[in-house]
Amino acid sequence: MKKAAIYGRETPQGASMSSQEGELTLPSDCFRLEEINLPQEMSASLTGQNVAVEVLPEVPPMALRLDLDDPPDGLPMLIDEQGVAWNDHWPVRVLFTDPDGRVWRLPRHWLSGGVSPVIEASRYEVTHEASWLEILHPPTWWDLCDINISDKSASEGTRGIAHIEVSVVPGEVPKAFWRGPSGHLWRIPHDWRRRRIKLPDCDGLLRNNLPQDIAEEFGGRIVAVNYHPGSLCCLHDGYRVRDGRGGRWPVRAADCVVVGFGDETERFA
């Protein structure tokens, strides 16, 4: 099976896709809308508002036959050995059209789970502004597009490790920015940053079905994990912990304690 990723237009011509109209209550914190790259003034005006949305349903792989003469420039597709084009996996997409007619994407998890709570360990007791660079392991192309990062930048953003700039201001949630290949500075959710978590003790890891030797070695340790709330690549309610030997073990988030964000001990200013 050959696979080609083609980006651009939101809805492929010739594909049978039935969307649904509905309403969505947007987050009550303005920074949540700014974190998905809505303009600042728009974010302020839409905070906590009910808006009309169009929901495009999930489509499993190879459910729709596509026309190669008019390919879906915006959605990844598959080409079989006979040269026939099919859709790849297309997850749920949520579209919002502003009064000027521009279409914006909204994170799909806002439909159900809403936004993740602000974790106190992500806050910084600072007295003046400060900024620094961190490493980010980005989520999927779909997740980057869901926060209105351009398709070209999103495709580049999924290729390996990225560097982000974190800035803090007294009394505010930290801001995280990623610079795309064109040089454009994109906002990303602050809770996509790497987390440092304290794992449960040995017995707690055993209850998470980790092997005895791994549980004994890692019980109660503080480790760094990649986690992007609401993304397609991460667990809904847990972390994948690496054992340093190629193994990745799911551990329930409720059994862990977040002690900090980023690559190292928090910086204070």
Side-chain angles (χ1 to χ4, degrees):
M1 180 71 68
K2 301 176 182 178
K3 181 176 180 179
I6 307 175
Y7 307 104
R9 194 171 57 241
E10 187 62 45
T11 304
Q13 294 181 6
S16 175
M17 299 176 63
S18 56
S19 62
Q20 295 182 344
E21 304 291 333
E23 280 197 347
L24 176 65
T25 301
L26 297 177
S28 57
D29 293 310
C30 184
F31 76 84
R32 296 288 188 183
L33 302 182
E34 294 175 352
E35 285 183 336
I36 65 168
N37 292 290
L38 296 189
Q40 191 171 22
E41 289 187 6
M42 179 186 295
S43 298
S45 66
L46 291 177
T47 299
Q49 299 296 311
N50 290 328
V51 297
V53 295
E54 180 182 6
V55 181
L56 299 176
E58 179 180 16
V59 184
M62 303 189 72
L64 301 174
R65 183 167 177 166
L66 307 175
D67 184 358
L68 272 178
D69 293 329
D70 188 15
D73 328 328
L75 301 168
M77 66 180 187
L78 302 169
I79 302 177
D80 65 21
E81 294 178 353
Q82 286 73 44
V84 177
W86 304 86
N87 68 288
D88 197 351
H89 172 239
W90 297 344
V92 170
R93 281 154 289 145
V94 184
L95 309 180
F96 162 68
T97 303
D98 68 22
D100 295 327
R102 179 171 176 179
V103 178
W104 301 87
R105 294 275 288 269
L106 302 178
R108 70 186 63 80
H109 68 279
W110 286 7
L111 286 175
S112 53
V115 298
S116 58
V118 175
I119 298 175
E120 289 303 313
S122 72
R123 297 182 182 272
Y124 296 84
E125 297 295 333
V126 298
T127 57
H128 59 271
E129 296 184 23
S131 64
W132 59 86
L133 294 178
E134 289 181 359
I135 289 175
L136 175 75
H137 294 257
T140 71
W141 176 82
W142 293 102
D143 298 307
L144 294 175
C145 289
D146 270 357
I147 61 170
N148 296 293
I149 291 178
S150 70
D151 48 13
K152 180 180 179 180
S153 293
S155 62
E156 291 285 341
T158 57
R159 299 176 186 173
I161 296 173
H163 288 88
I164 62 171
E165 178 179 313
V166 179
S167 64
V168 292
V169 174
E172 296 184 8
V173 169
K175 298 178 181 178
F177 300 90
W178 170 67
R179 192 174 298 278
S182 66
H184 186 89
L185 199 63
W186 301 98
R187 184 87 175 260
I188 63 172
H190 75 284
D191 51 8
W192 277 8
R193 298 165 59 207
R194 282 170 61 83
R195 298 186 179 193
R196 296 190 307 284
I197 61 169
K198 183 177 181 180
L199 296 172
D201 60 16
C202 178
D203 289 341
L205 291 180
L206 290 174
R207 287 193 293 271
N208 278 269
N209 300 313
L210 272 67
Q212 182 76 36
D213 60 333
I214 301 296
E216 291 176 355
E217 180 180 354
F218 283 87
R221 282 179 53 176
I222 294 176
V223 299
V225 295
N226 302 311
Y227 189 67
H228 318 99
S231 68
L232 292 173
C233 58
C234 293
L235 301 176
H236 172 67
D237 57 357
Y239 306 115
R240 295 186 180 96
V241 177
R242 298 178 182 269
D243 61 16
R245 297 185 286 275
R248 294 199 304 169
W249 307 96
V251 180
R252 289 184 294 271
D255 294 339
C256 304
V257 176
V258 179
V259 298
F261 281 66
D263 305 318
E264 56 186 69
T265 303
E266 285 86 344
R267 304 165 187 237
F268 297 93

